[in-house]
Amino acid sequence: MSKYLIDKFLYMIDRDPELVERYREDPRGTVTWWEAERANTVLNCHGGEASTWQRFTDEEREALAAHDHVALFSLGAHPFLTLTLFIAMFERDHGPLEYQKAFGARLAHFSMPYPDIAT
Amino acid sequence: MATVVAVIASTHHPFYYRASTATGEDRPPFADEWVRKITAFRETLTAARPDVLVMVGSDHFHQLWLDNMPQFLVGKAPFYDANWYNEEREFGLPKMLLKGNEDLSAHILRAGLDEGFDLAFSNELRIDHSITCPIITLRPEADLPIVPIYTNIFAPPLPQPKRFVQLGQTIRQVIESWPSHLRVAVIGTGHLSLELGGPRQFGPHGPDPEFDQKAVEWIATGDLERCLHEVTLDSLHSPGNATHGFMDFMLMMGVAGAGRKADYVDSLDLFHTMEAYFTWYPNGVDA
């Protein structure tokens, strides 16, 4: 598993307004593009110093491509990252706090201890 | 030597700015009471007449990231740009520019290292709502220079709770050894019980009111012994998955001193998390 790479995807998308919209509109295409073009970017290095080995597992790739925040939670994605990005994409379609509460309700079957978020 | 004129600990609810500035139908029903509480809290800093603010907070994956995560980091820059696109997006926070105090930053780094904390530093730090929220609530003029100190309460593995207390004690000692006539206030923000991205988020209260009650009592009475006895990295998961931010409150108890009762205590039970406000005057309010 590559929890780090899931978190890196969520982090890099959340920081970029254009990528937030792209991921909302075309999640599968964005995940495919990002894994091919961005996953091995070493942050704070220029392109020539890219890493070569990072890729998603099939389960991780599918969770991201399906906007499946419940699966991401179960995989140990950092919940702050998932929440902020998903609010950015979907809060607009709902009333005040409606999306945030529904987001929590969909996780109701989880009890302590939650999946470990250490990368 | 510099004087620590106030030690202030608070939550940093990012919805305050929007709630307090909203009008008409957009203004939430709790806004007026919240503003009243904040206005009274603000006066506790104003009364101390500080010249410089040491601000303890935690980056929320804005600048610090898992490729290179410091546990404790001191900003050393002449200015700090503040608030990020996704904070503007979610909370309506404004962009801000705060002045730094590089001399105090350098002193904290040198003396902190000498006291056994391997502090990271940044000369190009952009700060987020953990530091701008207390500026907005406590010093909206944003006219005082700051020294930001970031802790990792967010990305496991985390330092142990006692380490936060020790850092607070060291910060106090180090500031008081700074060869300056300036009056320093130390302001830190953390969390009581809080859940983010989990099943207990955004409830009508914080996820664990019982923990909140105990935590407020520990802080108000300076009961570090009880607090350290009951709080561990593991136990902090129970009150909510983001409750590790409570360790920044523990850091501030370290700054204030063990057994030192807060001179000002207030709280406000809000949705999502409980607001809490504490002020200590180490040398009395007129010192």
Side-chain angles (χ1 to χ4, degrees):
Chain A
M1 272 211 318
S2 173
K3 271 192 284 186
Y4 174 71
L5 200 61
I6 297 178
D7 287 342
K8 185 173 174 178
F9 175 88
L10 298 169
Y11 170 75
M12 289 177 69
I13 300 293
D14 186 59
R15 294 162 69 81
D16 185 326
E18 289 180 18
L19 290 182
V20 169
E21 295 309 309
R22 183 170 169 181
Y23 182 46
R24 170 184 157 102
E25 297 304 324
D26 177 19
R28 195 166 297 276
T30 306
V31 171
T32 302
W33 163 81
W34 187 88
E35 188 175 10
E37 303 292 335
R38 292 286 184 272
N40 281 297
T41 303
V42 180
L43 302 177
N44 294 319
C45 291
H46 70 79
E49 309 291 359
S51 65
T52 58
W53 52 272
Q54 297 196 85
R55 65 190 312 272
F56 295 123
T57 65
D58 291 345
E59 187 181 22
E60 291 165 345
R61 192 179 299 110
E62 185 57 28
L64 290 170
H67 281 159
D68 187 346
H69 76 77
V70 178
L72 291 170
F73 189 83
S74 72
L75 289 166
H78 198 294
F80 182 84
L81 289 167
T82 313
L83 178 65
T84 56
L85 176 56
F86 277 55
I87 285 175
M89 293 192 294
F90 301 121
E91 184 185 23
R92 71 186 80 165
D93 302 327
H94 300 81
L97 293 183
E98 188 179 69
Y99 180 73
Q100 290 88 331
K101 290 176 182 173
F103 186 109
R106 282 192 291 271
L107 298 166
H109 56 289
F110 286 95
S111 56
M112 299 293 296
Y114 296 161
D116 183 7
I117 63 167
T119 50
Chain B
M1 295 298 161
T3 310
V4 175
V5 292
V7 178
I8 294 185
S10 174
T11 33
H12 59 248
H13 208 313
F15 297 138
Y16 176 75
Y17 180 77
R18 182 171 272 166
S20 64
T21 56
T23 57
E25 287 184 358
D26 292 335
R27 191 170 179 85
F30 48 79
D32 290 344
E33 185 185 7
W34 203 355
V35 170
R36 274 196 300 275
K37 295 231 176 212
I38 288 295
T39 305
F41 186 40
R42 180 180 306 155
E43 180 55 31
T44 70
L45 176 65
T46 309
R49 297 180 289 109
D51 300 309
V52 56
L53 307 176
V54 172
M55 309 285 300
V56 177
S58 300
D59 180 72
H60 295 67
F61 283 153
H62 285 120
Q63 178 156 358
L64 307 179
W65 172 243
L66 300 169
D67 63 333
N68 192 359
M69 176 60 74
Q71 301 294 358
F72 300 117
L73 177 143
V74 177
K76 183 183 178 298
F79 292 94
Y80 300 93
D81 285 297
N83 292 330
W84 294 72
Y85 141 70
N86 60 7
E87 296 175 303
E88 201 175 4
R89 182 185 75 199
E90 285 177 41
F91 314 129
L93 292 178
K95 300 287 193 208
M96 299 170 74
L97 177 66
L98 299 167
K99 193 162 56 171
N101 184 315
E102 287 195 87
D103 185 42
L104 180 53
S105 290
H107 176 74
I108 289 173
L109 282 164
R110 181 68 266 163
L113 287 160
D114 293 345
E115 290 299 321
F117 278 92
D118 297 328
L119 301 167
F121 62 88
S122 171
N123 288 279
E124 193 177 355
L125 185 66
R126 187 183 180 98
I127 55 182
D128 78 359
H129 72 272
S130 68
I131 286 175
T132 58
C133 284
I135 292 290
I136 288 165
T137 53
L138 290 162
R139 194 74 180 187
E141 304 91 332
D143 58 342
L144 296 177
I146 69 165
V147 174
I149 299 178
Y150 268 150
T151 67
N152 175 20
I153 47 88
F154 207 63
L158 308 178
Q160 294 289 344
K162 69 178 179 190
R163 199 64 178 148
F164 283 75
V165 174
Q166 290 166 348
L167 180 59
Q169 292 164 338
T170 299
I171 288 171
R172 169 74 175 272
Q173 179 188 329
V174 161
I175 293 170
E176 289 178 338
S177 73
W178 184 37
S180 166
H181 65 283
L182 294 181
R183 300 166 65 87
V184 181
V186 189
I187 300 172
T189 61
H191 305 140
L192 297 178
S193 69
L194 179 64
E195 177 118 331
L196 294 171
R200 295 173 288 172
Q201 68 177 11
F202 288 94
H205 308 281
D208 191 338
E210 194 178 322
F211 174 84
D212 293 344
Q213 195 176 2
K214 277 197 297 188
V216 166
E217 181 69 16
W218 294 331
I219 302 167
T221 60
D223 193 350
L224 265 171
E225 187 179 336
R226 172 68 61 185
C227 185
L228 280 166
H229 180 72
E230 293 202 23
V231 171
T232 67
L233 288 174
D234 285 338
S235 78
L236 283 174
H237 289 287
S238 297
N241 67 353
T243 309
H244 289 84
F246 179 66
M247 293 192 293
D248 278 343
F249 270 120
M250 297 178 74
L251 188 157
M252 297 309 298
M253 292 169 75
V255 178
R260 188 62 201 262
K261 290 184 179 171
D263 295 293
Y264 180 90
V265 178
D266 198 6
S267 62
L268 177 61
D269 196 10
L270 274 176
F271 77 99
H272 192 42
T273 188
M274 173 183 265
E275 286 283 277
Y277 315 111
F278 305 90
T279 302
W280 294 260
Y281 296 115
N283 302 293
V285 72
D286 295 318

